[in-house]
Amino acid sequence: MAGTNSERQLLAEGPVVILVEPQMGENIGMVARAMANFGLAELRLVNPRDGWPNEKATAAASNAHHVIETTLVFDTLEAAIADLNFVYATTARQRDGYKPVRSPVIAAQTLRGKFVAGEKTGILYGRERWGLTNEEVALADEIVTFPVNPAFASLNIAQAVLLMSYEWMKSGMDDLAAVPFQATEQRQSTKEQLFGLFDQLEDALDARGYFHPLQKKPKMIDNLRAVLSRRAFTEQEISVLRGVITSLDRFQRRYPRVETTGKQTRDDDGAWK
């Protein structure tokens, strides 16, 4: 994409991401990177095992400095979510209790609605090895879980954050089919341009003894044209293909074949004669 990072809009809004007792700095960094990819910026840590700040986290964040530099650390989960109005707890396994369980899509829509209403929200993520405790889930308002392979349901913490961050960004899009850039518009070639490609290619192949035996030449040409006609070339594509053929034609051609009947033979360099 054109332009530098400083020229692009930096999205930095949405729910707070809370990691409960994360272990590895690299995982925290990858979480920060996932957040930055999809417009989230506020990261909170509850008792990170290796302390904070963490050089490995900074390295793994891949320039998501605005997330890393504003990360807050708390001694308890209660303190980390005290200022939030609404909190989701992520989990891959069924929990006892009466909390509503939502899909990532519904959870993101709910978070978006509360964000628009001016409420402060958050998403809890548990430890790398065993997630959140039941007591920690109990502090959340609702549960969000991911539709994963039942036989392999465990997600890396950065993957879980990435999935929810992606759904968060989607929830704010007016058109889910929209893409950030389009292919360069090109005009379809005219039939005259296509015929010119046919003539140039067939002439180059003929000069190199491609059409053999001679009696099959008309059928071989038909097949070749059928292949080249299966899709609609643009003018630029025709130009590219003709440029390739022109480049090949700079090398010495074999002697033109004599259009005679009877058995043909090859000379020492493999040309037909």
Side-chain angles (χ1 to χ4, degrees), residues 211-215 256-265 272-273:
F211 300 112
H212 175 78
L214 284 179
Q215 60 268 28
R257 181 170 57 250
V258 178
E259 298 284 348
T260 59
T261 59
K263 186 176 180 180
Q264 292 179 305
T265 60
W272 292 102
K273 63 179 181 179

Side-chain angles (χ1 to χ4, degrees), residues 52-130:
W52 194 261
N54 186 295
E55 292 183 359
K56 292 181 178 179
T58 301
S62 187
N63 294 323
H65 300 308
H66 63 291
V67 178
I68 291 294
E69 292 172 359
T70 58
T71 297
L72 300 177
V73 178
F74 296 84
D75 293 331
T76 66
L77 177 56
E78 289 85 349
I81 64 174
D83 64 326
L84 305 183
N85 301 107
F86 184 90
V87 176
Y88 270 111
T90 60
T91 181
R93 65 181 187 275
Q94 185 173 348
R95 304 283 185 153
D96 295 330
Y98 301 96
K99 292 188 183 297
V101 181
R102 310 299 186 191
S103 71
V105 173
I106 298 301
Q109 291 172 351
T110 300
L111 292 169
R112 179 67 63 174
K114 292 182 178 297
F115 170 76
V116 171
E119 295 185 30
K120 197 166 179 62
T121 62
I123 311 172
L124 304 182
Y125 297 87
R127 302 151 188 86
E128 289 93 330
R129 295 184 61 186
W130 45 280

Side-chain angles (χ1 to χ4, degrees), residues 198-225 257 259 264 272:
F198 290 162
D199 292 340
Q200 184 183 6
L201 179 58
E202 290 158 14
D203 177 64
L205 291 173
D206 197 30
R208 289 161 174 80
Y210 174 79
F211 300 112
H212 175 78
L214 284 179
Q215 60 268 28
K216 291 187 178 181
K217 178 178 178 179
K219 180 61 176 175
M220 295 173 74
I221 288 178
D222 287 344
N223 291 341
L224 183 63
R225 292 190 176 195
R257 181 170 57 250
E259 298 284 348
Q264 292 179 305
W272 292 102

Side-chain angles (χ1 to χ4, degrees), residues 4-23:
T4 64
N5 287 332
S6 61
E7 296 171 336
R8 305 172 191 164
Q9 180 185 8
L10 178 63
L11 300 177
E13 59 185 22
V16 177
V17 171
I18 305 106
L19 306 185
V20 179
E21 297 184 354
Q23 296 174 294

Side-chain angles (χ1 to χ4, degrees), residues 243-255:
V244 169
I245 299 168
T246 298
S247 177
L248 294 174
D249 265 347
R250 292 197 182 101
F251 294 91
Q252 183 178 2
R253 294 189 180 204
R254 294 171 178 171
Y255 293 106

Side-chain angles (χ1 to χ4, degrees), residues 14-15 22 33 126 133 142 176 184 188 201 208 231 249 254 270:
R33 180 177 183 178
T133 65
E142 295 184 0
L176 293 181
T184 303
Q188 184 174 334
L201 179 58
R208 289 161 174 80
R231 57 155 293 170
D249 265 347
R254 294 171 178 171

Side-chain angles (χ1 to χ4, degrees), residues 184-188 233-241:
T184 303
E185 186 175 349
Q186 297 182 355
R187 185 167 58 185
Q188 184 174 334
F233 286 108
T234 65
E235 292 181 339
Q236 290 88 340
E237 289 169 336
I238 290 287
S239 178
V240 168
L241 290 173

